[in-house]
Amino acid sequence: RCLKLYCQCFASSQMCESTCRCLSCMNTSQHEVARNEAIKTILIRNPSAFDTKFGSGSSRPTSPNSNEISVTSSKKVSH
């Protein structure tokens, strides 16, 4: 139902669109309450669940009640 981290859209804090090949998708604005509950539950179990696996920053929903994405940079400093 696309409310798990195996859905690439959901894992990257995006909602699925018509171009996705999802079946019975709930990662849409029509199912926002269920989507926000899933985000909240996942973040309780794993606070870094929505951190990006690529690049140097992290991307996660700012809150379970928001579609906004918070991006932070983690820079490495070498001496």
Side-chain angles (χ1 to χ4, degrees), residues 13-73:
S13 303
Q14 304 294 317
M15 288 194 184
C16 293
E17 298 177 355
S18 61
T19 56
C20 296
R21 293 187 228 169
C22 307
L23 301 173
S24 302
C25 184
M26 293 186 69
N27 187 30
T28 64
S29 58
Q30 292 83 8
H31 299 99
E32 190 168 3
V33 173
R35 181 181 186 272
N36 290 338
E37 259 319 294
I39 290 170
K40 183 175 156 184
T41 301
I42 290 168
L43 287 175
I44 287 170
R45 286 187 291 199
N46 181 0
S48 62
F50 292 94
D51 288 356
T52 183
K53 308 294 186 254
F54 309 99
S56 61
S58 66
S59 174
R60 70 174 71 160
T62 55
S63 76
N65 300 321
S66 174
N67 292 331
E68 297 175 15
I69 296 174
S70 171
V71 177
T72 57
S73 177

